[in-house]
Amino acid sequence: MTDSRIPKARLGEDGPEVGVQGLGCMGMSFAYGPADADESRATLERALELGVTFYDTADAYGEGENERFLAPFFKAHRDEVVIATKFALAIPPGEPTRRVIRNDAPYIRQAVEASLKRLDVDVIDLYYMHRRDVNVPIEDTVGVMAELVREGKVKQLGLSEVTAAELHAAQGVHPIAAVQSEWSLFSRDIEAQVVPAARELGVTLVPYSPLGRGFLTGSFANADTDLTADDFRRHQPRFTGENAAANAALLEPIRALAEAHAVTPAQIALAWVQQQSQVHGLPVIPIPGTRKPGRVAENTAAVSIVLSEEELGLLEPIAAKVSGDRYADMRFTSAGRE
Protein backbone atom coordinates (compact mmCIF):
# COMPACT_ATOMS: atom_id res chain seq x y z
CA MET A 1 0.00 0.00 0.00
CA THR A 2 1.25 3.50 -0.82
CA ASP A 3 0.53 6.84 0.77
CA SER A 4 -0.74 8.45 -2.45
CA ARG A 5 -3.70 10.82 -2.12
CA ILE A 6 -7.08 9.13 -2.20
CA PRO A 7 -9.57 9.61 -5.06
CA LYS A 8 -12.46 12.04 -4.81
CA ALA A 9 -16.25 11.81 -4.79
CA ARG A 10 -18.91 14.49 -5.08
CA LEU A 11 -20.84 15.63 -2.03
CA GLY A 12 -24.39 15.93 -3.32
CA GLU A 13 -25.36 16.51 -6.95
CA ASP A 14 -23.95 20.03 -7.14
CA GLY A 15 -21.51 20.06 -4.23
CA PRO A 16 -17.72 20.01 -4.01
CA GLU A 17 -15.52 17.03 -4.69
CA VAL A 18 -13.95 15.69 -1.49
CA GLY A 19 -11.74 12.76 -0.63
CA VAL A 20 -13.66 9.52 -1.03
CA GLN A 21 -13.02 8.90 2.65
CA GLY A 22 -13.58 11.54 5.32
CA LEU A 23 -12.53 11.76 8.96
CA GLY A 24 -14.84 11.49 11.94
CA CYS A 25 -13.44 13.79 14.62
CA MET A 26 -15.75 13.06 17.57
CA GLY A 27 -13.29 10.85 19.44
CA MET A 28 -10.71 13.62 19.61
CA SER A 29 -12.82 15.33 22.28
CA PHE A 30 -15.61 13.00 23.33
CA ALA A 31 -17.05 9.52 23.91
CA TYR A 32 -14.05 7.21 23.48
CA GLY A 33 -12.03 7.94 26.61
CA PRO A 34 -8.95 10.17 27.01
CA ALA A 35 -7.34 11.64 23.88
CA ASP A 36 -3.92 13.17 23.30
CA ALA A 37 -4.47 16.63 21.78
CA ASP A 38 -1.08 16.77 20.05
CA GLU A 39 -1.58 13.36 18.51
CA SER A 40 -5.06 14.33 17.36
CA ARG A 41 -3.69 17.47 15.70
CA ALA A 42 -1.05 15.36 13.97
CA THR A 43 -3.83 13.04 12.80
CA LEU A 44 -5.71 15.94 11.21
CA GLU A 45 -2.60 17.06 9.33
CA ARG A 46 -1.74 13.53 8.20
CA ALA A 47 -5.28 13.02 6.94
CA LEU A 48 -5.06 16.14 4.80
CA GLU A 49 -1.72 15.01 3.36
CA LEU A 50 -3.40 11.77 2.27
CA GLY A 51 -6.26 13.56 0.52
CA VAL A 52 -8.86 13.51 3.28
CA THR A 53 -10.64 16.83 2.85
CA PHE A 54 -14.01 16.13 4.51
CA TYR A 55 -14.06 16.56 8.31
CA ASP A 56 -17.04 15.68 10.49
CA THR A 57 -17.95 17.13 13.89
CA ALA A 58 -21.08 18.21 15.81
CA ASP A 59 -22.04 20.71 18.46
CA ALA A 60 -22.94 17.84 20.82
CA TYR A 61 -19.43 16.38 20.84
CA GLY A 62 -18.08 17.47 24.19
CA GLU A 63 -20.60 20.33 24.52
CA GLY A 64 -18.96 22.18 21.63
CA GLU A 65 -15.42 21.28 22.61
CA ASN A 66 -14.80 19.28 19.44
CA GLU A 67 -15.71 22.25 17.25
CA ARG A 68 -13.42 24.50 19.28
CA PHE A 69 -10.59 21.97 19.06
CA LEU A 70 -10.88 21.72 15.28
CA ALA A 71 -11.11 25.48 14.66
CA PRO A 72 -7.34 26.21 14.41
CA PHE A 73 -6.83 23.37 11.92
CA PHE A 74 -9.74 24.54 9.82
CA LYS A 75 -8.50 28.13 9.88
CA ALA A 76 -5.05 27.05 8.72
CA HIS A 77 -6.49 25.02 5.83
CA ARG A 78 -9.83 26.71 5.13
CA ASP A 79 -9.55 26.54 1.33
CA GLU A 80 -8.58 22.85 1.41
CA VAL A 81 -11.21 21.38 3.74
CA VAL A 82 -14.96 20.82 3.76
CA ILE A 83 -16.47 21.20 7.24
CA ALA A 84 -19.54 19.25 8.34
CA THR A 85 -21.20 19.88 11.68
CA LYS A 86 -24.61 19.16 13.17
CA PHE A 87 -27.39 20.45 15.41
CA ALA A 88 -30.30 18.83 17.30
CA LEU A 89 -28.90 17.29 20.50
CA ALA A 90 -29.55 20.03 23.03
CA ILE A 91 -28.30 20.02 26.62
CA PRO A 92 -31.01 21.05 29.12
CA PRO A 93 -29.94 23.74 31.65
CA GLY A 94 -28.40 22.16 34.72
CA GLU A 95 -28.38 18.66 33.21
CA PRO A 96 -25.02 18.30 31.43
CA THR A 97 -25.33 14.54 30.88
CA ARG A 98 -28.74 14.68 29.18
CA ARG A 99 -29.51 15.28 25.51
CA VAL A 100 -32.88 16.48 24.21
CA ILE A 101 -33.64 16.40 20.50
CA ARG A 102 -34.71 19.78 19.16
CA ASN A 103 -35.57 20.58 15.54
CA ASP A 104 -37.47 23.83 16.17
CA ALA A 105 -36.58 27.09 14.45
CA PRO A 106 -35.37 29.08 17.49
CA TYR A 107 -33.02 26.30 18.50
CA ILE A 108 -31.64 25.80 14.98
CA ARG A 109 -30.84 29.50 14.70
CA GLN A 110 -29.21 29.52 18.12
CA ALA A 111 -27.22 26.38 17.27
CA VAL A 112 -25.87 27.58 13.94
CA GLU A 113 -24.63 30.86 15.40
CA ALA A 114 -22.90 28.99 18.23
CA SER A 115 -21.24 26.55 15.81
CA LEU A 116 -20.06 29.35 13.51
CA LYS A 117 -18.47 31.06 16.51
CA ARG A 118 -16.81 27.92 17.90
CA LEU A 119 -15.52 26.88 14.47
CA ASP A 120 -14.39 30.46 13.78
CA VAL A 121 -15.73 30.38 10.22
CA ASP A 122 -18.09 32.57 8.20
CA VAL A 123 -19.98 29.66 6.65
CA ILE A 124 -20.50 25.96 7.39
CA ASP A 125 -19.99 23.79 4.32
CA LEU A 126 -22.46 21.02 5.28
CA TYR A 127 -24.98 21.43 8.10
CA TYR A 128 -26.75 18.30 9.33
CA MET A 129 -29.86 17.70 11.35
CA HIS A 130 -28.22 15.28 13.80
CA ARG A 131 -31.40 13.51 14.92
CA ARG A 132 -35.08 13.76 14.11
CA ASP A 133 -37.65 15.24 16.46
CA VAL A 134 -40.82 13.51 15.28
CA ASN A 135 -42.94 16.23 16.90
CA VAL A 136 -41.69 18.81 14.38
CA PRO A 137 -42.59 18.30 10.70
CA ILE A 138 -39.38 17.67 8.82
CA GLU A 139 -40.54 20.11 6.17
CA ASP A 140 -40.51 22.85 8.83
CA THR A 141 -37.04 21.91 10.04
CA VAL A 142 -35.57 21.80 6.53
CA GLY A 143 -37.36 25.04 5.74
CA VAL A 144 -35.41 26.79 8.50
CA MET A 145 -32.18 25.11 7.35
CA ALA A 146 -32.87 26.36 3.82
CA GLU A 147 -33.13 29.88 5.18
CA LEU A 148 -29.60 29.49 6.55
CA VAL A 149 -28.41 28.63 3.05
CA ARG A 150 -30.08 31.72 1.61
CA GLU A 151 -28.52 33.85 4.36
CA GLY A 152 -25.05 32.54 3.51
CA LYS A 153 -24.45 30.82 6.84
CA VAL A 154 -24.56 27.32 5.39
CA LYS A 155 -23.66 25.98 1.94
CA GLN A 156 -25.27 22.52 1.87
CA LEU A 157 -27.79 20.60 3.95
CA GLY A 158 -27.56 17.11 5.38
CA LEU A 159 -29.69 14.78 7.49
CA SER A 160 -28.65 12.02 9.87
CA GLU A 161 -30.55 8.82 10.70
CA VAL A 162 -33.62 9.68 8.61
CA THR A 163 -36.02 7.27 6.93
CA ALA A 164 -36.56 7.13 3.19
CA ALA A 165 -39.93 8.87 3.59
CA GLU A 166 -38.34 11.64 5.67
CA LEU A 167 -35.62 12.09 3.07
CA HIS A 168 -38.18 12.42 0.28
CA ALA A 169 -40.16 14.96 2.31
CA ALA A 170 -37.03 16.97 3.06
CA GLN A 171 -35.92 16.93 -0.57
CA GLY A 172 -39.24 18.47 -1.50
CA VAL A 173 -38.27 21.58 0.49
CA HIS A 174 -34.57 21.97 -0.36
CA PRO A 175 -31.91 19.78 -2.00
CA ILE A 176 -30.25 17.46 0.52
CA ALA A 177 -26.58 16.85 -0.20
CA ALA A 178 -25.88 14.00 2.20
CA VAL A 179 -27.46 11.49 4.55
CA GLN A 180 -25.30 10.29 7.40
CA SER A 181 -26.23 6.93 8.90
CA GLU A 182 -24.47 4.01 10.49
CA TRP A 183 -23.38 1.56 7.78
CA SER A 184 -20.92 -1.27 8.21
CA LEU A 185 -20.60 -5.04 8.04
CA PHE A 186 -22.47 -5.05 11.37
CA SER A 187 -25.15 -2.44 10.50
CA ARG A 188 -26.90 -2.70 7.14
CA ASP A 189 -30.52 -1.73 7.83
CA ILE A 190 -30.31 1.38 5.62
CA GLU A 191 -29.86 -0.75 2.50
CA ALA A 192 -33.56 -1.68 2.47
CA GLN A 193 -35.04 1.80 1.92
CA VAL A 194 -32.70 4.68 2.70
CA VAL A 195 -29.96 3.80 0.23
CA PRO A 196 -32.38 3.36 -2.72
CA ALA A 197 -34.01 6.68 -1.86
CA ALA A 198 -30.64 8.43 -1.70
CA ARG A 199 -29.66 6.98 -5.05
CA GLU A 200 -32.94 8.12 -6.61
CA LEU A 201 -32.57 11.65 -5.25
CA GLY A 202 -28.86 12.13 -5.97
CA VAL A 203 -27.92 12.22 -2.28
CA THR A 204 -24.47 11.13 -1.08
CA LEU A 205 -24.34 8.50 1.67
CA VAL A 206 -21.95 9.25 4.54
CA PRO A 207 -21.53 6.11 6.67
CA TYR A 208 -20.54 6.77 10.26
CA SER A 209 -19.01 4.02 12.41
CA PRO A 210 -17.93 2.05 9.31
CA LEU A 211 -15.60 0.06 11.60
CA GLY A 212 -18.38 -0.85 14.01
CA ARG A 213 -17.01 1.65 16.56
CA GLY A 214 -13.74 -0.26 16.51
CA PHE A 215 -15.24 -3.69 17.16
CA LEU A 216 -14.63 -4.84 13.56
CA THR A 217 -10.94 -4.04 13.93
CA GLY A 218 -10.53 -6.33 16.93
CA SER A 219 -9.34 -3.44 19.09
CA PHE A 220 -11.70 -4.57 21.85
CA ALA A 221 -13.78 -7.70 22.43
CA ASN A 222 -16.05 -6.69 25.30
CA ALA A 223 -16.80 -3.11 26.29
CA ASP A 224 -17.46 -4.10 29.91
CA THR A 225 -13.91 -5.30 30.46
CA ASP A 226 -11.81 -3.71 27.72
CA LEU A 227 -12.86 -0.05 27.74
CA THR A 228 -12.59 2.80 30.24
CA ALA A 229 -15.56 3.74 32.39
CA ASP A 230 -16.19 6.94 30.40
CA ASP A 231 -16.35 5.16 27.02
CA PHE A 232 -19.90 5.34 25.71
CA ARG A 233 -19.59 1.99 23.93
CA ARG A 234 -20.18 0.43 27.34
CA HIS A 235 -23.82 1.49 26.89
CA GLN A 236 -24.30 -0.07 23.45
CA PRO A 237 -25.95 -3.50 23.69
CA ARG A 238 -24.01 -5.30 20.97
CA PHE A 239 -20.65 -4.66 22.63
CA THR A 240 -21.41 -5.99 26.11
CA GLY A 241 -22.13 -9.28 27.85
CA GLU A 242 -23.21 -12.30 25.84
CA ASN A 243 -23.83 -10.15 22.77
CA ALA A 244 -20.16 -9.17 22.63
CA ALA A 245 -19.01 -12.77 22.83
CA ALA A 246 -21.40 -13.85 20.09
CA ASN A 247 -20.44 -10.94 17.84
CA ALA A 248 -16.71 -11.51 18.29
CA ALA A 249 -17.17 -14.92 16.70
CA LEU A 250 -18.54 -13.23 13.55
CA LEU A 251 -15.20 -11.56 12.79
CA GLU A 252 -13.47 -14.68 11.48
CA PRO A 253 -14.30 -14.14 7.76
CA ILE A 254 -12.95 -10.58 8.04
CA ARG A 255 -9.72 -11.86 9.57
CA ALA A 256 -9.39 -14.55 6.90
CA LEU A 257 -9.76 -12.03 4.07
CA ALA A 258 -7.34 -9.67 5.77
CA GLU A 259 -4.75 -12.43 5.86
CA ALA A 260 -5.40 -13.30 2.22
CA HIS A 261 -4.89 -9.67 1.14
CA ALA A 262 -2.01 -9.08 3.59
CA VAL A 263 -3.91 -6.17 5.15
CA THR A 264 -5.65 -5.53 8.48
CA PRO A 265 -9.23 -6.50 9.41
CA ALA A 266 -10.01 -2.77 9.63
CA GLN A 267 -8.98 -2.33 6.00
CA ILE A 268 -11.23 -5.17 4.87
CA ALA A 269 -14.17 -3.69 6.78
CA LEU A 270 -13.52 -0.26 5.25
CA ALA A 271 -12.97 -1.67 1.77
CA TRP A 272 -16.40 -3.30 2.03
CA VAL A 273 -18.03 0.02 2.89
CA GLN A 274 -16.16 1.90 0.16
CA GLN A 275 -17.23 -0.75 -2.38
CA GLN A 276 -20.91 -0.20 -1.58
CA SER A 277 -20.67 2.81 -3.90
CA GLN A 278 -20.34 0.43 -6.85
CA VAL A 279 -22.74 -2.15 -5.40
CA HIS A 280 -25.56 0.38 -4.91
CA GLY A 281 -24.71 2.99 -7.54
CA LEU A 282 -24.33 6.17 -5.48
CA PRO A 283 -21.50 8.19 -3.89
CA VAL A 284 -20.42 6.73 -0.55
CA ILE A 285 -17.99 8.67 1.67
CA PRO A 286 -17.39 6.90 4.99
CA ILE A 287 -16.01 8.85 7.93
CA PRO A 288 -13.99 6.45 10.10
CA GLY A 289 -12.82 8.12 13.27
CA THR A 290 -9.34 7.90 14.66
CA ARG A 291 -6.91 9.87 16.81
CA LYS A 292 -3.70 8.35 15.45
CA PRO A 293 -1.81 9.40 12.29
CA GLY A 294 -0.86 5.80 11.57
CA ARG A 295 -4.48 4.72 11.59
CA VAL A 296 -5.40 7.40 9.06
CA ALA A 297 -2.77 6.00 6.71
CA GLU A 298 -4.13 2.50 7.29
CA ASN A 299 -7.73 3.61 6.74
CA THR A 300 -7.11 5.57 3.56
CA ALA A 301 -5.10 2.69 2.08
CA ALA A 302 -8.31 0.65 2.20
CA VAL A 303 -9.77 2.61 -0.72
CA SER A 304 -7.47 0.72 -3.11
CA ILE A 305 -8.57 -2.74 -1.93
CA VAL A 306 -11.06 -4.41 -4.28
CA LEU A 307 -13.03 -7.36 -2.96
CA SER A 308 -14.17 -9.98 -5.45
CA GLU A 309 -17.79 -11.13 -5.75
CA GLU A 310 -16.80 -14.31 -3.95
CA GLU A 311 -15.19 -12.34 -1.13
CA LEU A 312 -18.19 -10.05 -0.81
CA GLY A 313 -20.29 -13.21 -0.57
CA LEU A 314 -18.22 -14.44 2.37
CA LEU A 315 -19.00 -11.21 4.23
CA GLU A 316 -22.68 -11.07 3.26
CA PRO A 317 -24.13 -13.17 6.14
CA ILE A 318 -22.44 -11.26 8.97
CA ALA A 319 -24.93 -8.45 9.61
CA ALA A 320 -27.93 -10.76 9.90
CA LYS A 321 -26.20 -12.68 12.71
CA VAL A 322 -25.27 -9.69 14.88
CA SER A 323 -26.62 -9.88 18.44
CA GLY A 324 -27.96 -6.72 20.08
CA ASP A 325 -29.04 -3.33 18.79
CA ARG A 326 -26.58 -0.57 18.00
CA TYR A 327 -28.26 1.71 20.55
CA ALA A 328 -30.15 0.93 23.73
CA ASP A 329 -32.99 3.11 22.37
CA MET A 330 -33.50 2.67 18.63
CA ARG A 331 -36.33 5.21 18.33
CA PHE A 332 -33.87 7.86 17.24
CA THR A 333 -32.50 5.85 14.31
CA SER A 334 -33.97 5.42 10.87
CA ALA A 335 -34.36 1.68 11.53
CA GLY A 336 -36.45 2.46 14.60
CA ARG A 337 -38.95 4.42 12.48
CA GLU A 338 -39.00 2.60 9.13
Side-chain angles (χ1 to χ4, degrees):
M1 299 288 178
T2 67
D3 278 352
S4 58
R5 290 173 66 86
I6 59 175
K8 294 181 179 181
R10 192 166 298 282
L11 193 59
E13 284 197 317
D14 303 315
E17 285 194 327
V18 298
V20 75
Q21 186 181 112
L23 181 64
C25 300
M26 177 179 77
M28 295 178 180
S29 309
F30 175 72
Y32 291 139
D36 183 297
D38 289 338
E39 189 171 45
S40 292
R41 281 189 281 269
T43 300
L44 295 167
E45 296 288 351
R46 182 63 175 136
L48 189 59
E49 290 173 0
L50 292 166
V52 175
T53 55
F54 181 45
Y55 294 80
D56 183 88
T57 182
D59 59 1
Y61 299 161
E63 299 181 51
E65 184 54 37
N66 196 234
E67 290 179 324
R68 284 188 286 267
F69 173 77
L70 295 169
F73 170 75
F74 290 153
K75 188 169 187 177
H77 301 286
R78 188 63 187 100
D79 294 337
E80 303 170 80
V81 301
V82 171
I83 302 169
T85 193
K86 315 176 193 74
F87 73 88
L89 300 181
I91 302 170
E95 300 181 81
T97 60
R98 277 193 67 209
R99 296 291 186 273
V100 176
I101 299 177
R102 290 188 61 179
N103 291 174
D104 57 283
Y107 181 75
I108 295 171
R109 291 199 161 275
Q110 171 190 327
V112 74
E113 295 297 341
S115 285
L116 286 165
K117 183 176 181 180
R118 285 189 294 262
L119 291 165
D120 193 20
V121 296
D122 297 325
V123 60
I124 294 166
D125 299 312
L126 176 63
Y127 200 42
Y128 286 106
M129 180 190 76
H130 204 161
R131 289 293 186 271
R132 169 97 165 91
D133 178 358
V134 296
N135 297 309
V136 178
I138 196 164
E139 295 88 347
D140 292 356
T141 300
V142 177
V144 178
M145 295 169 72
E147 290 174 5
L148 302 181
V149 176
R150 290 191 288 270
E151 293 164 12
K153 296 175 181 178
V154 170
K155 290 183 180 178
Q156 290 185 288
L157 304 184
L159 305 170
S160 182
E161 289 287 359
V162 291
T163 67
E166 290 164 351
L167 176 56
H168 275 281
Q171 186 81 359
V173 177
H174 188 278
I176 302 299
V179 165
Q180 183 178 129
S181 288
E182 188 165 352
W183 198 6
S184 73
L185 283 167
F186 264 30
S187 301
R188 298 182 56 182
D189 48 79
I190 65 169
E191 293 174 30
Q193 297 187 47
V194 177
V195 171
R199 180 179 61 243
E200 175 189 346
L201 297 172
V203 176
T204 297
L205 234 300
V206 179
Y208 73 83
S209 299
L211 295 174
R213 301 195 184 276
F215 194 84
L216 293 169
T217 74
S219 63
F220 73 100
N222 189 310
D224 292 328
T225 57
D226 299 346
L227 302 177
T228 57
D230 57 350
D231 194 306
F232 94 119
R233 289 171 290 186
R234 291 170 64 107
H235 304 289
Q236 295 186 295
R238 62 178 47 170
F239 302 137
T240 58
E242 293 181 358
N243 287 340
N247 292 336
L250 300 178
L251 303 181
E252 186 51 41
I254 303 172
R255 294 195 189 98
L257 287 180
E259 185 175 346
H261 282 263
V263 298
T264 66
Q267 288 174 311
I268 293 297
L270 271 177
W272 181 88
V273 176
Q274 300 277 179
Q275 210 159 323
Q276 297 313 298
S277 177
Q278 287 75 49
V279 172
H280 293 279
L282 79 169
V284 175
I285 306 174
I287 50 169
T290 185
R291 303 176 290 198
K292 298 180 182 297
R295 292 298 184 201
V296 168
E298 177 184 336
N299 291 346
T300 54
V303 306
S304 64
I305 300 171
V306 178
L307 301 173
S308 69
E309 289 295 326
E310 181 181 359
E311 290 171 329
L312 290 172
L314 292 173
L315 301 172
E316 185 65 26
I318 293 175
K321 298 177 181 179
V322 172
S323 298
D325 285 329
R326 47 195 177 98
Y327 292 103
D329 188 343
M330 290 289 286
R331 289 177 300 165
F332 307 111
T333 68
S334 59
R337 297 193 304 279
E338 287 282 15

